[in-house]
Amino acid sequence: PEGSILFVTQVPNGGFTSVARAFANHLGSVASAPRGGALMLRYPDGTLRNLTREAGYGVDGMQGPTSVAVREPCVHWDGRRALFSMVMGVPRRWEVRSFYWQVYEVSGLAPGERALIRRVSGQSSAHNNLSPVYGSDDAVIFTSDRPRGGEAHLYPQLDEYESAPS
């Protein structure tokens, strides 16, 4: 809706390869992207909606299997839907597991509607997909750390200075 602000909340975090840093900020691990954030919508009258929670994602307090981190919302031209990246879950004790940012679309942004979040199809579930935008033709465009040909031996690509995933 006109005059509304779509934004994300994130848990503060430091470290070289974290979500709020300049380099290697695309990683989905819990250390790089602490869970506990949300996709929020503020209406001109000051009303706040937690869209991720409303759609069944995220928890308060101790983070677990349904906890999330979110980033980079992009509102569609018509203002009725938006794209964003989200990573879900935490490893169980002693579990070694990889987590990847995925692109999602949220609809139901008008007052009185219910938020609905769906994963955008056509993206690799084994790579980080970020910075989603709508093209002028309604195509969903995003950045991915998937190697161009998908070759597993080229993943992750590393920067030349710190050898951090890029």
mmCIF file of all heavy atoms in Angstrom, residues 1-5 41-44 78-80 109-111:
data_model
loop_
_atom_site.group_PDB
_atom_site.id
_atom_site.type_symbol
_atom_site.label_atom_id
_atom_site.label_comp_id
_atom_site.label_asym_id
_atom_site.label_seq_id
_atom_site.Cartn_x
_atom_site.Cartn_y
_atom_site.Cartn_z
ATOM 1 N N PRO A 1 0.820 -1.201 0.000
ATOM 2 C CA PRO A 1 0.000 0.000 0.000
ATOM 3 C C PRO A 1 0.863 1.264 0.000
ATOM 4 O O PRO A 1 1.910 1.294 0.628
ATOM 5 C CB PRO A 1 -0.804 -0.125 1.278
ATOM 6 C CG PRO A 1 -0.822 -1.601 1.576
ATOM 7 C CD PRO A 1 0.449 -2.130 1.035
ATOM 8 N N GLU A 2 0.397 2.273 -0.676
ATOM 9 C CA GLU A 2 1.157 3.509 -0.822
ATOM 10 C C GLU A 2 1.518 4.100 0.536
ATOM 11 O O GLU A 2 0.695 4.145 1.447
ATOM 12 C CB GLU A 2 0.356 4.534 -1.620
ATOM 13 C CG GLU A 2 1.168 5.745 -1.987
ATOM 14 C CD GLU A 2 0.446 6.657 -2.951
ATOM 15 O OE1 GLU A 2 -0.390 6.155 -3.732
ATOM 16 O OE2 GLU A 2 0.719 7.852 -2.914
ATOM 17 N N GLY A 3 2.768 4.543 0.646
ATOM 18 C CA GLY A 3 3.246 5.134 1.888
ATOM 19 C C GLY A 3 3.719 4.130 2.916
ATOM 20 O O GLY A 3 4.213 4.506 3.970
ATOM 21 N N SER A 4 3.592 2.847 2.638
ATOM 22 C CA SER A 4 4.046 1.812 3.560
ATOM 23 C C SER A 4 5.536 1.570 3.370
ATOM 24 O O SER A 4 6.099 1.862 2.316
ATOM 25 C CB SER A 4 3.282 0.507 3.312
ATOM 26 O OG SER A 4 1.906 0.694 3.540
ATOM 27 N N ILE A 5 6.163 1.002 4.397
ATOM 28 C CA ILE A 5 7.593 0.692 4.340
ATOM 29 C C ILE A 5 7.765 -0.794 4.612
ATOM 30 O O ILE A 5 7.329 -1.297 5.654
ATOM 31 C CB ILE A 5 8.381 1.505 5.376
ATOM 32 C CG1 ILE A 5 8.206 3.002 5.120
ATOM 33 C CG2 ILE A 5 9.853 1.118 5.359
ATOM 34 C CD1 ILE A 5 8.764 3.885 6.207
ATOM 35 N N LEU A 41 6.316 -4.956 7.827
ATOM 36 C CA LEU A 41 5.625 -3.956 7.023
ATOM 37 C C LEU A 41 5.058 -2.895 7.967
ATOM 38 O O LEU A 41 4.379 -3.229 8.945
ATOM 39 C CB LEU A 41 4.494 -4.608 6.221
ATOM 40 C CG LEU A 41 3.672 -3.707 5.310
ATOM 41 C CD1 LEU A 41 4.541 -3.047 4.245
ATOM 42 C CD2 LEU A 41 2.559 -4.510 4.657
ATOM 43 N N ARG A 42 5.373 -1.636 7.685
ATOM 44 C CA ARG A 42 4.846 -0.522 8.484
ATOM 45 C C ARG A 42 3.930 0.310 7.599
ATOM 46 O O ARG A 42 4.337 0.803 6.551
ATOM 47 C CB ARG A 42 5.972 0.366 9.001
ATOM 48 C CG ARG A 42 5.474 1.503 9.874
ATOM 49 C CD ARG A 42 6.617 2.405 10.311
ATOM 50 N NE ARG A 42 6.161 3.406 11.253
ATOM 51 C CZ ARG A 42 5.587 4.563 10.904
ATOM 52 N NH1 ARG A 42 5.387 4.851 9.629
ATOM 53 N NH2 ARG A 42 5.217 5.423 11.817
ATOM 54 N N TYR A 43 2.679 0.451 8.031
ATOM 55 C CA TYR A 43 1.696 1.261 7.322
ATOM 56 C C TYR A 43 1.853 2.735 7.713
ATOM 57 O O TYR A 43 2.416 3.048 8.772
ATOM 58 C CB TYR A 43 0.280 0.784 7.629
ATOM 59 C CG TYR A 43 -0.025 -0.598 7.112
ATOM 60 C CD1 TYR A 43 -0.256 -1.651 7.983
ATOM 61 C CD2 TYR A 43 -0.065 -0.852 5.742
ATOM 62 C CE1 TYR A 43 -0.541 -2.925 7.504
ATOM 63 C CE2 TYR A 43 -0.347 -2.121 5.258
ATOM 64 C CZ TYR A 43 -0.572 -3.150 6.142
ATOM 65 O OH TYR A 43 -0.840 -4.404 5.664
ATOM 66 N N PRO A 44 1.339 3.643 6.894
ATOM 67 C CA PRO A 44 1.457 5.074 7.209
ATOM 68 C C PRO A 44 0.895 5.477 8.571
ATOM 69 O O PRO A 44 1.369 6.436 9.173
ATOM 70 C CB PRO A 44 0.672 5.748 6.077
ATOM 71 C CG PRO A 44 0.750 4.789 4.945
ATOM 72 C CD PRO A 44 0.730 3.424 5.581
ATOM 73 N N ASP A 78 3.510 -3.110 -8.691
ATOM 74 C CA ASP A 78 2.113 -2.850 -8.333
ATOM 75 C C ASP A 78 1.893 -2.680 -6.825
ATOM 76 O O ASP A 78 0.797 -2.349 -6.385
ATOM 77 C CB ASP A 78 1.185 -3.946 -8.880
ATOM 78 C CG ASP A 78 1.423 -5.328 -8.275
ATOM 79 O OD1 ASP A 78 2.112 -5.434 -7.230
ATOM 80 O OD2 ASP A 78 0.910 -6.306 -8.837
ATOM 81 N N GLY A 79 2.934 -2.942 -6.015
ATOM 82 C CA GLY A 79 2.848 -2.756 -4.574
ATOM 83 C C GLY A 79 2.079 -3.832 -3.833
ATOM 84 O O GLY A 79 1.880 -3.742 -2.628
ATOM 85 N N ARG A 80 1.652 -4.895 -4.531
ATOM 86 C CA ARG A 80 0.843 -5.934 -3.883
ATOM 87 C C ARG A 80 1.643 -7.164 -3.481
ATOM 88 O O ARG A 80 1.110 -8.077 -2.844
ATOM 89 C CB ARG A 80 -0.300 -6.339 -4.809
ATOM 90 C CG ARG A 80 -1.271 -5.186 -5.046
ATOM 91 C CD ARG A 80 -2.557 -5.606 -5.737
ATOM 92 N NE ARG A 80 -2.421 -6.685 -6.674
ATOM 93 C CZ ARG A 80 -2.627 -6.590 -7.989
ATOM 94 N NH1 ARG A 80 -3.011 -5.433 -8.505
ATOM 95 N NH2 ARG A 80 -2.499 -7.630 -8.768
ATOM 96 N N LEU A 109 -0.252 -7.985 1.208
ATOM 97 C CA LEU A 109 0.321 -6.845 1.915
ATOM 98 C C LEU A 109 -0.707 -5.792 2.322
ATOM 99 O O LEU A 109 -0.418 -4.949 3.169
ATOM 100 C CB LEU A 109 1.401 -6.183 1.045
ATOM 101 C CG LEU A 109 2.556 -7.093 0.597
ATOM 102 C CD1 LEU A 109 3.550 -6.307 -0.242
ATOM 103 C CD2 LEU A 109 3.236 -7.737 1.793
ATOM 104 N N ALA A 110 -1.881 -5.810 1.747
ATOM 105 C CA ALA A 110 -2.891 -4.798 2.064
ATOM 106 C C ALA A 110 -3.465 -5.037 3.465
ATOM 107 O O ALA A 110 -3.519 -6.183 3.930
ATOM 108 C CB ALA A 110 -4.015 -4.831 1.027
ATOM 109 N N PRO A 111 -3.886 -3.987 4.136
ATOM 110 C CA PRO A 111 -4.510 -4.159 5.446
ATOM 111 C C PRO A 111 -5.695 -5.127 5.355
ATOM 112 O O PRO A 111 -6.480 -5.066 4.416
ATOM 113 C CB PRO A 111 -4.996 -2.745 5.806
ATOM 114 C CG PRO A 111 -4.111 -1.829 5.017
ATOM 115 C CD PRO A 111 -3.813 -2.563 3.735
#
